[in-house]
């Protein structure tokens, strides 16, 4: 895909770790790609796998779900439950032919501003290679 | 081979019991190769019961579909059990419903029917002309015998049974209060040959395959209605607020619908293949389900519908679950 394609990434960040990690990256003035649309959720376990499908339908080129490291979840086990769900959803999406780079998941703690930068840069670079999502976005009807 | 007289005698004995409300079984349909579910409430009805290679429907669906009327003031709730005839795959549906507490063990009475494979009507109709006469069928020495209007015909089992029966690992009921007939030999393998051919293709080819298939979906929701595991009182497909999946019939919404349906069966699908059988546009729905069955067994070493004491897969976790995909 062309160099100047800017992917549209929807990021679901958990309130306690990843959102604070992204915030730390900002306050530390770490530069990272501005392609994210961040949606703050209380826990990565709050993210219904259908959110991912829905985001892709509504024009996202990729989705990132990020939560606390295993064992660090504010709600004890939310991210463990999310991990199982998304392991399966990822395989299912891949099986129907969605590029596996479009769905990403990461653990970023509140102190990992630098890791957050690496994760986002990696995701955005991958999506630049993968190109726009053309499989099943909703048709935009211009009445 | 199954003795129908014995089956009917057992059914009569069962419904004569005080603690049985009614019995769910199969009877000959109105024409051709059809069979229909049969709700036996008295001794006469029991005479029509059959069990044959044509009994394709999974009756476990009816356990959760039964209407729950409010109990009139002062009356006692009806706590009698429902007797149900199950094949191997259907028995797994019963177990999975027990695991999820969709039904209670003390409210069902399971009559197990070991099964050598169910006829796929589409495969059969390629070989035999359509008929309005009622047709009877039975298993005999690895073959399926049909009493057609033109005379008796025998087919090798593997030629006309449904795809799910070729890979079936549980032909004998995994749960049963009483069993009819003798256990049959397990012939299916634990492999996933039926989906491997699709998995080895690249993403574009896979999407081309599925786009073609979901494009023909007419959103009749038969696959959901017939599924023994789809018994939520409130389904996301019916909800308007939030509208998880819009009602328009196009590739985007159809794909989202199929992904949702398949994902909601992750770790729950018992591979009875009913969704595929009832699909009017012949979408290979069981491929999606089988893919998840494969992932569930490889990643979490879990097989749904075997152990009534198990915990639902996605309601639990292990700290060392595989997480190679996480950045």
């Amino acid at each position: 895909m062309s160099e100047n394609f800017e992917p549209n990434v929807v990021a679901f960040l958990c309130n306690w770790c990843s959102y604070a990690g992204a915030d730390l990256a900002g306050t530390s003035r770490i530069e990272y790609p501005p392609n994210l649309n961040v949606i703050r959720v209380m826990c990565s376990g709050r993210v219904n796998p259908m959110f991912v499908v829905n985001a892709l339908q509504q024009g996202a080129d990729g989705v990132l779900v990020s939560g606390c490291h295993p064992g660090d979840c504010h709600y004890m086990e939310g991210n463990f439950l999310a991990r199982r769900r998304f392991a399966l959803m990822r395989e299912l999406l891949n099986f129907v032919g969605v590029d596996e780079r479009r769905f990403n998941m990461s653990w970023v703690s509140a102190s990992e501003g630098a890791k957050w930068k690496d994760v986002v840069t990696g995701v955005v670079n991958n999506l630049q290679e993968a190109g726009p999502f053309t499989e099943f976005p909703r048709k935009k009807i211009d009445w | 081979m199954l003795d129908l007289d014995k089956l009917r005698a057992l059914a009569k004995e069962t419904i004569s019991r005080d603690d049985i409300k009614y019995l769910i079984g199969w009877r000959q349909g109105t024409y051709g190769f059809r069979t229909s579910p049969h709700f036996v409430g008295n001794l006469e009805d029991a005479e029509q019961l059959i069990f044959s290679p044509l009994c394709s429907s999974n009756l476990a669906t009816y356990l959760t579909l039964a209407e729950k009327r409010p109990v009139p003031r002062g009356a006692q709730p009806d706590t009698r059990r429902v007797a149900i005839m199950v094949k191997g795959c259907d028995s797994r549906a019963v177990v999975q419903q027990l695991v999820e507490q969709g039904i209670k063990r003390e409210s069902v009475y399971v009559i197990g029917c070991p099964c050598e494979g169910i006829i796929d009507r589409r495969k059969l109709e390629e070989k035999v002309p359509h008929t309005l006469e009622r047709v009877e069928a039975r298993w005999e020495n690895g073959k399926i015998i049909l009493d057609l209007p033109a005379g008796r015909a025998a087919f090798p089992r593997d030629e006309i049974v449904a795809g799910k029966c070729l890979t079936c690992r549980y032909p004998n009921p995994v749960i049963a209060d009483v069993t009819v007939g003798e256990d049959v030999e397990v012939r299916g393998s634990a492999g996933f040959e039926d989906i491997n051919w699709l998995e080895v293709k690249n993403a574009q080819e896979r999407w081309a395959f599925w786009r073609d298939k979901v494009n023909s979906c007419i959103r009749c929701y038969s696959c959901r209605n017939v599924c023994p595991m789809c018994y939520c009182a409130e389904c996301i497909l019916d909800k308007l607020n939030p509208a998880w999946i819009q009602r328009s019939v196009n590739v985007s919404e159809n794909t989202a619908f199929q992904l949702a349906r398949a994902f909601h069966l992750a770790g729950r699908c018992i591979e009875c293949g009913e969704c595929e059988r009832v699909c009017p546009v012949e979408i290979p729905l069981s491929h999606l389900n089988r893919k998840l069955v494969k992932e569930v067994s490889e990643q979490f070493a879990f097989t749904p519908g075997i152990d009534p004491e198990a915990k639902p897969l996605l309601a639990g976790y292990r700290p060392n679950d595989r997480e190679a995909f996480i950045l």
Side-chain angles (χ1 to χ4, degrees), chain A residues 48-51 54 57 77 80 83-85 87 89-91 94-97 105 107 135-138, chain B residues 198 203 206-207 210 244 246 252-253 260 263 291 295 299 313 316-319 321 323 325-327:
Chain A
N48 188 319
M50 281 307 288
F51 288 179
N54 233 297
Q57 274 189 295
E77 52 183 28
F80 285 120
R83 183 170 67 181
R84 274 202 166 176
R85 280 175 213 152
M89 194 47 161
R90 183 187 149 88
E91 291 300 331
N94 193 8
F95 186 64
V96 297
M105 195 168 179
W107 307 137
E135 277 86 353
F136 57 92
R138 234 168 234 166
Chain B
L198 189 53
R206 284 199 300 267
W207 172 245
W210 284 112
W244 287 88
Q246 292 182 1
S252 176
E253 304 303 332
F263 187 78
K291 171 65 181 171
E295 290 306 322
Q299 297 194 28
L313 177 83
Y317 65 91
R318 252 179 269 136
D321 278 339
E323 59 166 29
F325 70 97
I326 288 172
L327 299 173

Side-chain angles (χ1 to χ4, degrees), chain B residues 26 35 37 56-65 84 87 89-90 93 97 122 164 220-232 235 237 257 261 265 269-280 285-286 289:
Chain B
W26 297 274
T35 56
S56 43
S57 52
N58 184 344
L59 302 175
T61 314
Y62 296 106
L63 289 177
T64 49
L65 273 182
I84 180 172
K87 307 186 290 284
C89 41
D90 311 351
Q97 287 177 357
R122 289 178 184 130
K164 58 154 182 174
C220 61
Y221 297 150
S222 291
C223 44
R224 173 201 60 172
N225 294 345
V226 79
C227 180
M229 304 327 299
C230 285
Y231 57 88
C232 295
C235 177
L237 301 175
F257 159 54
R261 193 197 62 82
L265 292 170
C269 175
I270 44 83
E271 303 165 68
C272 64
E274 284 289 275
C275 42
E276 195 170 77
R277 180 178 71 85
V278 300
C279 182
L285 295 168
S286 63
N289 294 341

Side-chain angles (χ1 to χ4, degrees), chain B residues 69-78:
Chain B
R69 295 210 180 117
V71 182
R73 192 176 300 151
Q76 288 299 314
D78 189 351

Side-chain angles (χ1 to χ4, degrees), chain B residues 67-115:
Chain B
E67 190 184 2
K68 292 183 189 72
R69 295 210 180 117
V71 182
R73 192 176 300 151
Q76 288 299 314
D78 189 351
T79 54
R80 289 179 298 166
R81 307 164 88 177
V82 173
I84 180 172
M85 286 172 62
V86 292
K87 307 186 290 284
C89 41
D90 311 351
S91 72
R92 291 181 63 196
V94 173
V95 170
Q96 188 59 26
Q97 287 177 357
L98 289 172
V99 165
E100 294 164 5
Q101 304 183 10
I103 51 172
K104 292 193 192 93
R105 185 69 187 91
E106 60 271 17
S107 65
V108 284
Y109 182 76
V110 184
I111 303 174
C113 306
C115 152

Side-chain angles (χ1 to χ4, degrees), chain B residues 250-314:
Chain B
N250 55 40
V251 172
S252 176
E253 304 303 332
N254 290 358
T255 312
F257 159 54
Q258 292 301 347
L259 288 173
R261 193 197 62 82
F263 187 78
H264 285 177
L265 292 170
R268 306 172 60 229
C269 175
I270 44 83
E271 303 165 68
C272 64
E274 284 289 275
C275 42
E276 195 170 77
R277 180 178 71 85
V278 300
C279 182
V281 292
E282 305 188 20
I283 302 174
L285 295 168
S286 63
H287 284 9
L288 289 174
N289 294 341
R290 285 279 287 170
K291 171 65 181 171
L292 285 170
V293 168
K294 180 181 177 183
E295 290 306 322
V296 164
S297 88
E298 281 179 2
Q299 297 194 28
F300 309 115
F302 182 77
T303 314
I306 301 300
D307 176 14
E309 306 297 317
K311 286 259 290 178
L313 177 83
L314 290 183

Side-chain angles (χ1 to χ4, degrees), chain A residues 39-75:
Chain A
I39 297 176
R40 181 170 65 152
V41 289
M42 288 310 277
C43 177
S44 49
R46 167 69 182 88
V47 185
N48 188 319
M50 281 307 288
F51 288 179
V52 177
V53 177
N54 233 297
L56 291 174
Q57 274 189 295
Q58 293 187 38
D61 298 305
V63 178
L64 172 64
V65 177
S66 191
C68 308
H69 284 270
D72 280 353
C73 180
H74 186 79
Y75 307 101

